């Protein structure tokens, strides 16, 4: 259709498309090299259990430390990694690193911290996720109950049967499962019931305007009530203010995660957080 606009425009579109393709190819190659050269790092963000104001778990979030550009967020390369298949290597790296780290913390006598790892549905399609998880748990010695896997609601809805089968296997191992970014994927109540999961993570878009007390507060209240009636625990993501925290507490939300408690940090910094987790900090 660009042709109808005249030769120059067509040329413009073609060049643009090629530039994009070249850029993507370069990025893909750099990411592949980066993985091989150990440029990936795992950051940890605490989740606070509201029943006793304690940090009881950590979400593992990948970062890419590029020599020139510095720290790159997953939002800038996970999509590409999924399209190119590199997500397999990235996912395996993060899983292994996070399990080693949680096992280290346990050995240091810090706490029995649950660690959660994001997984992409592409890892599940390959069909060997369960055996990889079993292998990594064996290798690291981390008890399965201390590992949680998060899958976004939209990805789970794209592959219902496949997801349910794999989730059943993982649960048999004793691993915990969570639906991430819940509320954005248009799933119905009956769907939620079909997935054998332990946690629902309310998407941060609903938490953002909570203090206003409007629609998002009503949605959040409904998600918590519904999840609890299905005997699922609820985590709220993106908690940045005390007002949001107070509302979530008043609604019996189980855990909160967000900048109010801490940004995602490197493992050494996370240990400091744990050590100084004087309950007064979050009262
Ligand atoms: P997610 O799993 O929903 O993770 C939560 C994201 O929200 C993280 O962004 C976190 O830094 C950010 N966040 C946490 N608290 C707050 C807050 O109070 N305010 C705001 N504005 N943001 C907050 P991050 O680390 O950039 O990760 C983005 C997404 O990338 C993740 O969303 C997850 O879907 C994906 N991702 C990260 N690591 C991995 C990984 O190892 N594998 C896969 N497949 N995906 C990953
Ligand atoms: Mg997550
Ligand atoms: Mg999320
Ligand atoms: Mg997300």
């Amino acid at each position: 259709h660009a042709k109808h606009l005249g030769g120059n425009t067509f040329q413009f579109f073609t060049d643009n498309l090629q530039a994009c393709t070249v850029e993507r190819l370069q990025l893909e190659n750099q990411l592949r090299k980066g993985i091989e050269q150990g440029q990936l790092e795992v950051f940890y963000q605490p989740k606070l259990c509201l029943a006793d104001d304690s940090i009881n778990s950590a979400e593992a979030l990948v970062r890419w430390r590029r020599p020139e550009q510095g720290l790159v967020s997953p939002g800038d390369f996970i999509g590409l990694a999924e399209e190119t298949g590199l997500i397999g290597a990235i996912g395996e790296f993060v899983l292994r690193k996070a399990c080693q780290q949680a096992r280290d913390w346990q050995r240091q006598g810090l706490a029995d911290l649950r660690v959660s790892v994001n997984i992409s549905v592409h890892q599940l399609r390959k069909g060997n996720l369960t055996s990889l998880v079993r292998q990594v748990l064996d290798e690291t010695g981390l008890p399965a109950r201390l590992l949680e896997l998060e899958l976004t609601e939209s990805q789970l809805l794209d592959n219902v049967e496949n997801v349910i089968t794999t989730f059943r296997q993982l649960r048999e191992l004793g691993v915990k499962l969570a639906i991430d970014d819940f509320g954005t994927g248009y799933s119905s109540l009956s769907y939620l019931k079909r997935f054998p999961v332990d946690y629902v993570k309310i998407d941060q878009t609903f938490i953002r305007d909570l203090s206003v007390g409007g629609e998002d507060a009503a949605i959040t209240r409904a998600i918590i009530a519904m999840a609890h009636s299905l005997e699922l625990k609820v985590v709220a993501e993106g908690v940045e203010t005390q007002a949001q925290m107070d509302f979530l507490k008043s609604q019996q939300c189980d855990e909160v995660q967000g900048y109010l408690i801490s940004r995602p940090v490197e493992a050494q910094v996370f240990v400091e957080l744990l050590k100084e987790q004087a309950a007064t900090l979050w009262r």
Side-chain angles (χ1 to χ4, degrees):
H1 17 264
K3 244 186 217 161
H4 302 303
L5 301 171
N8 288 337
T9 319
F10 178 71
Q11 191 57 43
F12 170 78
F13 276 115
T14 314
D15 285 350
N16 217 18
L17 192 69
Q18 272 167 2
C20 277
T21 312
V22 170
E23 239 172 62
R24 284 178 65 80
L25 266 174
Q26 278 174 346
L27 191 66
E28 180 188 342
N29 285 331
Q30 283 159 1
L31 181 56
R32 180 173 284 116
K33 250 195 229 146
I35 297 169
E36 285 163 9
Q37 295 175 356
Q39 290 171 7
L40 294 186
E41 295 180 17
V42 180
F43 276 42
Y44 299 88
Q45 187 179 35
K47 293 181 199 168
L48 190 72
C49 169
L50 289 180
D52 63 0
D53 278 321
S54 72
I55 294 173
N56 67 349
S57 71
E59 178 169 6
L61 295 157
V62 72
R63 302 287 183 262
W64 177 16
R65 197 177 292 280
R66 299 183 71 180
E68 312 270 305
Q69 292 84 346
L71 213 56
V72 183
S73 294
D76 293 334
F77 63 91
I78 289 289
L80 180 76
E82 286 176 334
E83 284 164 33
T84 54
L86 289 172
I87 193 69
I90 295 175
E92 182 170 343
F93 167 78
V94 176
L95 177 70
R96 184 167 279 115
K97 189 85 184 175
C99 288
Q100 281 167 350
Q101 189 60 74
R103 179 66 182 127
D104 264 14
W105 285 330
Q106 202 191 24
R107 282 209 183 92
Q108 291 170 40
L110 281 166
D112 260 11
L113 228 46
R114 203 173 78 234
V115 71
S116 60
V117 175
N118 294 285
I119 53 164
S120 157
V121 78
H122 299 263
Q123 293 172 265
L124 214 129
R125 283 213 195 96
K126 276 175 57 196
N128 59 359
L129 183 65
T130 311
S131 48
L132 175 66
V133 168
R134 190 185 294 117
Q135 184 195 325
V136 169
L137 289 174
D138 276 355
E139 243 174 56
T140 59
L142 185 72
R145 66 183 164 82
L146 294 184
L147 175 64
E148 175 184 333
L149 300 177
E150 300 186 4
L151 188 66
T152 64
E153 185 192 22
S154 51
Q155 291 201 355
L156 132 171
L157 291 179
D158 275 348
N159 299 269
V160 178
E161 295 313 321
N162 197 355
V163 169
I164 291 177
T165 308
T166 311
F167 275 15
R168 288 218 179 99
Q169 296 169 346
L170 288 165
R171 259 201 147 183
E172 248 162 62
L173 291 181
V175 169
K176 306 281 183 222
L177 299 166
I179 304 181
D180 205 350
D181 300 352
F182 188 79
T184 58
Y186 309 102
S187 61
S188 68
L189 262 177
S190 56
Y191 260 90
L192 190 57
K193 225 181 76 184
R194 292 182 61 195
F195 293 101
V197 298
D198 306 276
Y199 295 90
V200 166
K201 298 187 76 178
I202 305 175
D203 191 69
Q204 48 193 58
T205 53
F206 299 106
I207 307 303
R208 201 167 295 144
D209 298 322
L210 261 192
S211 45
V212 186
E215 261 177 19
D216 288 342
I219 292 171
T220 299
R221 200 182 287 126
I223 293 176
I224 294 173
M226 174 190 76
H228 281 169
S229 72
L230 293 169
E231 285 168 36
L232 306 176
K233 292 205 168 186
V234 183
V235 183
E237 292 192 285
V239 176
E240 295 183 356
T241 70
Q242 189 62 46
Q244 292 165 341
M245 174 99 115
D246 292 343
F247 176 83
L248 291 161
K249 251 188 190 171
S250 76
Q251 298 304 312
Q252 275 80 49
C253 184
D254 300 284
E255 298 177 11
V256 292
Q257 181 182 357
Y259 295 169
L260 180 66
I261 295 120
S262 168
R263 287 180 178 260
V265 293
E266 287 160 280
Q268 314 89 272
V269 181
F270 190 88
V271 169
E272 294 309 312
L273 269 178
L274 279 180
K275 285 182 177 164
E276 60 183 61
Q277 70 155 291
T280 50
L281 259 175
W282 298 290
R283 285 265 157 77

